[in-house]
Amino acid sequence: MTVALRSIERVRYENLFIGGAWVAPEDGGMIESIEPATGQPWATVAYGGRRDIDKAVAAARTALEGPWGRMPGHERAAIMRRFADLYRDRAGDLAVLETRDSGRALREARADISGHTHGYHWWASLADKGAGRTIPFDDSVHIFTSRVPVGVVAAITPWNVPLMAAAWKLGPALAAGCTVVLKPAEQTPVTSLELGRIIEQAGFPPGVVNVVPGFGKDGAGEYLVAHPGVDKIAFTGEGSTAKAILRTGAETMKRFTFELGGKSPHIIFADADIEQALNAATNSAWTLCGQSCALGSRVLVQRPVYNRVLEAFRERAKQVRVGQPLDEATHMGPQAHEEQLAKTLSYIDIGKGEGAELVAGGERLSGGAYGNGYFVQPTVFGGVTNAMRIAREEIFGPVAALIPFDEEEEAVSIANDTTYGLTAGLWTQDIGRAHRVSAKIKAGMVWVNTYRFIRWSTPYGGFKASGWGRENGIEALDAYLDTRTTVMSTTGRFPDAYAN
């Protein structure tokens, strides 16, 4: 047991963070946040309504047109660095809060959140590097471009990794000079409000970042998307929600960045270092209790090593310590909410009904140490075909589907036979094959002899139904910047088109 395990007091957040102040919701209210490990409320949190969104957008606009918009890049960078240092100092507390709110294993949350400070520092380093270019034409004009902030950004984050998703949006938005209204998922609002406290302490001008938890459909989220004062939507979540956001936001010609789902192939060739491949494949199948867009949920295995890999998955599933997420010994905590648990269990039934072989797991864990929490066993299906629903649809649970293949071309065909294209991985000791296959995979990020290597400097995003645009990397700045072209005459002369 750890000190964190004893931190079980109920917390309460009665205010929203708008315009640099903590204010009570005007037409929102209070909502209970459920702790996935117990199925019981652990926090009471304010949520916003339409009037609260109006106030937040107005505050963001005032900051954009006022102090933040007029601030030189190096001064914005200094505030961002101060924020990054404060974030580092609070990382341990934030990890405990995210674990309680989302059910993520503390060891996993701590490893992730402790790295966010590096990302924020990296984005700060770009805040004063914005530059346009000159465009040679002739000596009658001087032509140059400027990069200017898109404007007010609505950052809508998911329930699986609320702080990571916020970092991926706040970093480039603030570096570009935008202002932000952050709307976390209603299931996991706590850490975003704590983020507001760090924003306040760092000394950002009022309104640069506003935090308004709320409901999505028919609530603060939908209203924020439609708001005429919002210039850009940065959204992480489900594809169906992204389509609704696109329809609503198109009325006001907003810009969009979407980081959506995936059904990532993880290919193991017979010539791979099998033990290392297994380390990566089992980790990527069950990390975050399977609640990751980059999950390697389709494990494609070449037939000569298929039985070996299948048996290893069976044995390693038994080694996963599923338990209370605040316990340092726990590998995998619960699903983040009851609806997601029900969805995962339904897909396990679908897999059995489709004729896949249930090799390991497949059951809810309850009673005893699990109580009424949303726990499920790490699950393995063998003999899966790519036509099965468990191979085609995103489950967002700890369910690995092992698919055998014969030749390289077949592996590529199976890997690409999906509506998604977020990430992919492959294991081989043949350098030629590594280049051939990685070049043919239709995904935004491909890992070779590793998996889930994601950093602030590496562009992340998907092909096809997995999203629009990129988060992280210098490329992410493009989504938060507009280009202005200025053409300046060097002569000041303009011919009279109507002269005789």
Side-chain angles (χ1 to χ4, degrees), residues 362-374:
E363 299 290 337
R364 179 178 182 176
L365 296 168
S366 61
Y370 303 110
N372 295 316
Y374 309 135

Side-chain angles (χ1 to χ4, degrees), residues 230-279:
V230 172
D231 302 295
K232 172 181 169 54
I233 307 293
F235 170 76
T236 299
E238 293 185 2
S240 59
T241 306
K243 292 175 184 177
I245 287 173
L246 184 60
R247 288 190 293 269
T248 302
E251 289 294 323
T252 47
M253 294 296 289
K254 290 175 171 51
R255 284 110 169 120
F256 301 93
T257 300
F258 293 135
E259 198 274 282
L260 308 176
K263 196 68 181 178
S264 301
H266 200 161
I267 308 170
I268 301 175
F269 287 99
D271 68 345
D273 184 329
I274 299 300
E275 287 304 307
Q276 297 305 313
L278 282 167
N279 290 343

Side-chain angles (χ1 to χ4, degrees), residues 57 72 158 196 239 249-250 282-283 299 308 327 339 352 469:
V57 172
T282 53
N283 175 269
V299 186
R308 176 183 172 186
D327 189 332
E339 182 182 1
K352 290 187 287 188

Side-chain angles (χ1 to χ4, degrees), residues 53 108 144 166 460 468:
I53 291 296
E108 197 174 75
F144 61 94
Y460 182 86
W468 288 1

Side-chain angles (χ1 to χ4, degrees), residues 11-86:
V11 298
R12 187 174 180 87
Y13 298 82
E14 296 184 347
N15 295 311
L16 312 170
F17 186 59
I18 298 176
W22 293 94
V23 298
E26 284 197 14
D27 60 346
M30 305 296 291
I31 186 174
E32 289 184 326
S33 187
I34 304 299
E35 187 165 16
T38 65
Q40 299 299 314
W42 80 282
T44 304
V45 179
Y47 71 91
R50 291 189 169 208
R51 289 202 296 272
D52 302 304
I53 291 296
D54 284 337
K55 286 171 59 178
V57 172
R61 180 66 57 187
T62 298
L64 181 71
E65 296 175 354
W68 190 247
R70 293 194 296 266
M71 189 177 290
H74 66 276
E75 293 183 15
R76 285 191 282 108
I79 297 175
M80 291 180 67
R81 291 189 186 100
R82 187 157 60 244
F83 168 78
D85 288 341
L86 291 167

